[in-house]
């Protein structure tokens, strides 16, 4: 491709509203442009990378036996009504009407569409198992679109749906997808982990998220420093055992604590360590008030609270609700003498002579001993795991890393097949419900994640497997006839030998060309300069910065070798 007329506008300055490096570099190198908030256009270079990633995804999905389909972005709202999701999905679902005032939604995901197709066209166990996938545009009206294509409102997803006749069948389909995902992200040369995630069944293997390790990741991964254990901190169970101090119980005492609200304020005012403080948070669980207690050095895990109450809706109480149920201001809430349900994290049981709010403005209790001073309905694992906790698999200690979720595999079971009536006749002619799994990859998010992990101070550093082109052929001075002719000749011959070449034939200064070349970050630059007359060109390996002078007649062999080296 000739760069003179190629739409690859580069920017010198960092765009003001781009907070993270991948967003900055994708804009600066001319991969994408923003069309609206959370809505992006891909320019030619960006589209090529997207296609490379898509090709890898497609190959591995096909290898795993999945069949490609293409489902519509526009879906009738009744379908979502039928599955019961129209209300549940909330404002993230983009809705629209056609000219007859019929309601439609823009597909945020495609369980409904695919399940009805399979319901109507597959009747017998003989046609199962089935795994159908597509690579298609999704719409989600994210509350906070940000970080460029990492969290956008229109994005490209590979979504797959498996249909099986048994639980064992689902396990096999899931395993096949897990393996395909591992291959896909390995081929994209990403540093990633498959981590256990929230499916409700704590500690189960019913769902994994594929996380690219990165400091800008929105998820926190808890992993073991000794074993292969990794889980989203949202679900990682806490196995810690807590020692109860043997100090003798003191008498409960109410103390004045003017304007002392936060844990740190309480601990310095009363002069106790955070683990002596009983942090009390008021939640509405299925709209009923519940006081949740954790130690001052711990955090409540709302997913665990939700699971304790059988997947209830859990919402943090507002100032007004705190007033209504406890007649108290936020900051002074506590479990002594309340007539609402109180649950506590296991660690709270170890607090002796603790401190908590007194449900009165500017007042706390000290020397609180819960078995004496409060009624706790249940102790359970309700806190978020922390670094230094024992690993949930019993091996080693927990460490944290940040991750970007690029893929998600999930055992759905019969949620959609039941709601939408996707049944089959088994060997005995008996009607049974199909068992489903769903599997997503954020294709556009993967591109951003690759950039996040592959760049330096000068720009992008593409892994060879997803680079928009293999080579950047640069004629340093197009006014010099020898250089220009050699450039043209090499461009033609390299193309003929099936190298993917971006050819910088622009009448720009050398400095500009080299800066752009580093910014765009193709794996190898081939510069034609002063030594063109001797038939010598200069290679730069983008990743290592290594410079190699090469005779033109050896160029193709050297390029093959170098590309090969980079691919491994
Ligand atoms: P997140 O927690 O990041 O919102 P999700 O759980 O909503 O993700 P899924 O519904 O599992 O995501 O979608 C499958 C994949 O699609 C995700 O793993 C992610 O890679 C990608 N994805 C989801 N939302 C977005 C988005 N707003 N922009 C880009 N990619 C997305
Ligand atoms: Mg989401």
């Amino acid at each position: 491709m000739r760069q003179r007329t190629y739409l690859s506008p580069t920017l010198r300055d960092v765009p003001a509203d781009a907070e993270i490096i991948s967003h900055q570099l994708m804009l600066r190198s001319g991969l994408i442009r923003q069309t609206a908030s959370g809505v992006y256009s891909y320019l030619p270079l960006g589209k090529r990378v997207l296609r490379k990633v898509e090709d890898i995804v497609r190959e591995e999905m096909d290898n795993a036996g999945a069949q490609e389909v293409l489902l519509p972005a526009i879906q009738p709202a009744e379908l979502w009504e039928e599955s019961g999701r129209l209300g549940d999905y909330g404002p993230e679902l983009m809705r629209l009407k056609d000219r007859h005032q019929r309601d439609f939604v823009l597909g945020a995901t495609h369980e409904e569409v695919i399940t009805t197709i399979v319901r109507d066209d597959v009747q017998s166990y003989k046609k199962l198992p089935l795994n159908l996938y597509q690579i298609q545009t999704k719409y989600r009206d994210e509350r906070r679109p940000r970080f460029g294509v990492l969290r956008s409102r229109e994005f490209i997803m590979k979504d797959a749906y498996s249909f099986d006749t048994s639980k064992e069948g689902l396990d096999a389909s899931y395993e096949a997808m897990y393996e395909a995902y591992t291959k896909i992200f390995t081929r994209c040369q990403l540093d990633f982990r498959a981590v256990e995630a929230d499916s409700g069944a704590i500690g189960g293997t019913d769902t994994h998220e594929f996380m690219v390790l990165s400091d800008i990741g929105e998820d926190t991964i808890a992993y073991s420093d000794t074993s292969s254990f990794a889980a989203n901190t949202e679900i990682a169970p806490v196995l810690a055992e807590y020692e109860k101090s043997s100090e003798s119980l003191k008498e409960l005492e109410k103390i004045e604590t003017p304007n002392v609200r936060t844990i740190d304020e309480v601990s310095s005012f009363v002069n106790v360590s955070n683990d002596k403080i009983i942090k009390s948070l008021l939640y509405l669980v299925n709209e009923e008030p519940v006081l949740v207690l954790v130690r001052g050095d711990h955090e409540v895990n709302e997913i665990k609270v939700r699971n304790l109450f059988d997947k209830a809706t859990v919402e943090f109480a507002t100032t007004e609700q705190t007033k209504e149920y406890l007649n108290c201001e936020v900051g002074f809430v506590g479990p002594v003498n309340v007539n609402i349900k109180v649950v506590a994290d296991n660690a709270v049981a170890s607090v002796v002579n603790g401190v908590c709010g007194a449900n009165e403005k500017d007042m706390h209790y000290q020397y609180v001993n819960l078995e004496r001073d409060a009624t706790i309905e249940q102790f359970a694992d309700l806190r978020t795991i922390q670094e230094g906790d024992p690993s949930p698999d019993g091996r080693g200690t927990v460490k944290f890393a940040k991750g970007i979720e690029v893929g998600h595999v999930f055992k759905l079971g019969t949620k959609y097949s039941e709601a939408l009536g996707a049944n089959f006749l088994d060997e005995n002619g008996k009607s049974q419900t199909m068992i489903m799994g769903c599997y997503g990859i954020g294709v556009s998010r993967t591109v951003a994640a690759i950039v996040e992990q592959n760049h330096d101070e000068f720009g992008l550093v593409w892994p060879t497997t997803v680079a928009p082109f293999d080579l950047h052929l640069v004629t340093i001075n197009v006014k010099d006839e020898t250089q220009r002719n050699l450039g043209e000749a090499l461009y033609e011959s390299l193309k003929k030998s099936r190298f993917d070449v971006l050819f910088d034939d622009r009448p720009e200064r050398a400095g500009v060309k080299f800066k752009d070349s580093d910014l765009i970050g193709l794996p190898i630059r081939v510069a034609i300069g002063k030594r063109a007359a001797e038939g010598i060109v200069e290679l730069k390996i983008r990743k290592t910065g290594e410079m190699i002078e090469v005779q033109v007649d050896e160029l193709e062999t050297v390029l093959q070798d170098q590309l090969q080296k980079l691919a491994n």
Side-chain angles (χ1 to χ4, degrees):
M1 198 56 69
R2 286 177 185 276
Q3 209 171 333
R4 193 188 290 250
T5 52
Y6 199 58
L7 184 63
S8 57
T10 53
L11 310 171
R12 284 286 157 259
D13 298 323
V14 176
D17 54 346
E19 296 166 64
I20 59 163
I21 193 76
S22 59
H23 188 195
Q24 294 169 2
L25 284 176
M26 288 180 79
L27 288 167
R28 286 187 54 211
S29 62
L31 299 185
I32 56 168
R33 287 293 179 260
Q34 188 184 42
T35 299
S37 162
V39 179
Y40 288 85
S41 301
Y42 288 82
L43 304 190
L45 276 175
K47 174 61 187 164
R48 285 182 78 97
V49 180
L50 208 49
R51 208 172 64 194
K52 290 265 174 103
V53 175
E54 284 176 14
D55 288 347
I56 292 174
V57 171
R58 193 170 273 120
E59 252 179 62
E60 295 301 340
M61 291 301 291
D62 290 347
N63 277 340
Q67 306 167 33
E68 185 168 3
V69 294
L70 181 60
L71 307 174
I74 294 185
Q75 308 177 7
E78 293 107 73
L79 256 186
W80 284 65
E81 194 104 61
E82 226 183 300
S83 72
R85 271 212 291 190
L86 194 61
D88 292 353
Y89 215 89
E92 231 178 67
L93 193 61
M94 297 258 204
R95 296 152 206 254
L96 68 158
K97 281 187 192 296
D98 72 2
R99 64 169 75 203
H100 306 294
Q101 300 306 305
R102 283 187 291 242
D103 291 312
F104 286 84
V105 305
L106 288 179
T109 168
H110 281 71
E111 280 83 0
E112 284 80 1
V113 173
I114 197 78
T115 307
T116 47
I117 290 174
V118 173
R119 169 189 72 192
D120 295 343
D121 286 292
V122 177
Q123 263 74 47
S124 162
Y125 74 95
K126 290 180 195 154
K127 291 296 221 177
L128 297 171
L130 192 60
N131 186 335
L132 301 167
Y133 81 96
Q134 63 169 343
I135 296 175
Q136 186 255 11
T137 305
K138 296 278 182 282
Y139 299 87
R140 293 183 184 179
D141 199 355
E142 297 276 353
R143 194 161 51 91
R144 260 192 88 198
R146 61 191 189 134
F147 295 166
V149 298
L150 212 50
R151 183 171 297 286
S152 48
R153 300 197 294 167
E154 172 175 311
F155 59 96
I156 297 171
M157 196 200 285
K158 186 287 298 174
D159 45 328
Y161 307 90
S162 65
F163 297 84
D164 275 279
T165 58
S166 65
K167 266 191 72 158
E168 295 71 39
L170 171 61
D171 290 346
S173 298
Y174 185 88
E175 191 60 34
M177 284 298 99
Y178 186 100
E179 276 170 28
Y181 277 34
T182 305
K183 287 185 188 148
I184 288 166
F185 297 122
T186 305
R187 283 180 65 184
C188 291
Q189 299 191 15
L190 285 163
D191 183 12
F192 69 96
R193 298 279 182 285
V195 311
E196 289 173 19
D198 175 40
S199 69
I202 294 210
T205 52
D206 287 350
T207 169
H208 285 85
E209 289 164 349
F210 285 75
M211 294 280 190
V212 169
L213 301 183
S214 162
D215 287 342
I216 59 108
E218 292 177 318
D219 292 89
T220 309
I221 305 163
Y223 67 95
S224 163
D225 63 356
T226 20
S227 73
S228 65
F229 176 87
N232 196 310
T233 50
E234 284 181 344
I235 62 124
V238 175
L239 300 182
E241 284 173 15
Y242 309 96
E243 223 170 286
K244 200 164 175 166
S245 119
S246 57
E247 66 191 276
S248 54
L249 306 194
K250 296 190 185 162
E251 204 146 311
L252 187 67
E253 192 180 307
K254 203 189 250 185
I255 51 172
E256 238 177 292
T257 52
N259 254 325
V260 172
R261 291 163 197 269
T262 66
I263 296 296
D264 287 339
E265 284 165 5
V266 175
S267 78
S268 62
F269 188 87
V270 191
N271 197 20
V272 293
S273 56
N274 286 0
D275 60 1
K276 280 263 190 192
I277 298 171
I278 299 163
K279 182 152 76 177
S280 315
L281 299 167
L282 182 62
Y283 283 92
L284 290 163
V285 176
N286 280 346
E287 290 164 33
E288 292 291 319
V290 174
L291 201 56
V292 179
L293 313 183
V294 291
R295 249 172 33 185
D297 56 335
H298 294 152
E299 298 299 331
V300 172
N301 182 318
E302 290 184 13
I303 289 180
K304 290 182 179 177
V305 176
R306 176 163 60 97
N307 289 336
L308 181 72
F309 291 98
D310 291 327
K311 303 231 153 204
T313 60
V314 170
E315 272 172 289
F316 198 58
T318 60
T319 313
E320 291 74 41
Q321 288 163 334
T322 309
K323 192 116 210 139
E324 180 186 343
Y325 293 112
L326 296 171
N327 192 24
C328 167
E329 268 190 37
V330 178
F332 303 98
V333 171
V336 180
N337 287 329
V338 294
N339 50 13
I340 59 171
K341 189 180 280 186
V342 184
V343 295
D345 177 61
N346 293 323
V348 177
S350 68
V351 178
V352 177
N353 297 328
V355 176
C356 70
N359 295 322
E360 235 177 90
K361 189 171 186 304
D362 295 338
M363 300 299 278
H364 274 79
Y365 281 117
Q366 63 178 344
Y367 311 129
V368 182
N369 292 289
L370 287 177
E371 65 275 33
R372 181 190 67 194
D373 302 324
T375 312
I376 311 295
E377 177 125 341
Q378 193 178 351
F379 285 94
D381 171 19
L382 295 178
R383 73 164 170 98
T384 302
I385 201 162
Q386 292 182 343
E387 275 189 295
D389 277 328
S391 174
D393 69 344
R395 291 152 65 199
T397 301
V398 163
K399 289 203 154 154
F400 278 5
K402 289 276 184 194
I404 301 168
E405 180 195 321
V406 286
H408 194 181
V409 291
F410 198 93
K411 289 184 189 169
L412 276 173
T414 54
K415 179 170 176 192
Y416 295 95
S417 41
E418 217 165 80
L420 299 162
N423 304 317
F424 66 97
L425 294 176
D426 69 11
E427 289 94 328
N428 307 313
K430 213 177 124 219
S431 178
Q432 300 221 32
T433 310
M434 293 183 197
I435 302 177
M436 292 175 60
C438 68
Y439 317 93
I441 289 182
V443 175
S444 36
R445 183 182 284 184
T446 299
V447 172
I450 292 170
V451 173
E452 208 52 52
Q453 279 191 349
N454 294 276
H455 62 83
D456 64 15
E457 58 193 303
F458 306 109
L460 295 157
V461 184
W462 289 112
T464 48
T465 48
V466 297
F469 294 92
D470 300 330
L471 307 176
H472 205 174
L473 181 68
V474 180
T475 303
I476 294 175
N477 180 4
V478 292
K479 290 199 197 105
D480 179 300
E481 202 182 330
T482 318
Q483 287 187 30
R484 192 173 65 237
N485 289 342
L486 183 58
E488 292 290 337
L490 285 179
Y491 178 51
E492 292 308 325
S493 65
L494 288 168
K495 265 201 310 185
K496 216 173 262 159
S497 304
R498 306 216 156 265
F499 287 96
D500 249 344
V501 189
L502 180 64
F503 178 31
D504 189 350
D505 57 348
R506 296 175 302 164
E508 295 282 357
R509 282 180 294 112
V512 171
K513 292 182 154 207
F514 286 155
K515 275 218 168 74
D516 279 349
S517 182
D518 281 345
L519 180 58
I520 292 170
L522 303 180
I524 302 178
R525 183 180 82 196
V526 181
I528 299 144
K530 290 212 170 67
R531 302 192 70 182
E534 303 161 62
I536 290 176
V537 296
E538 189 179 56
L539 270 50
K540 179 180 176 185
I541 312 301
R542 179 66 182 85
K543 192 169 179 171
T544 58
E546 189 188 352
M547 307 282 243
I548 311 167
E549 289 204 326
V550 182
Q551 277 287 344
V552 167
D553 48 7
E554 285 168 6
L555 181 62
E556 291 196 10
T557 328
V558 176
L559 288 173
Q560 294 286 14
D561 286 354
Q562 290 294 335
L563 284 170
Q564 190 65 41
K565 235 165 72 184
L566 286 169
N568 296 321

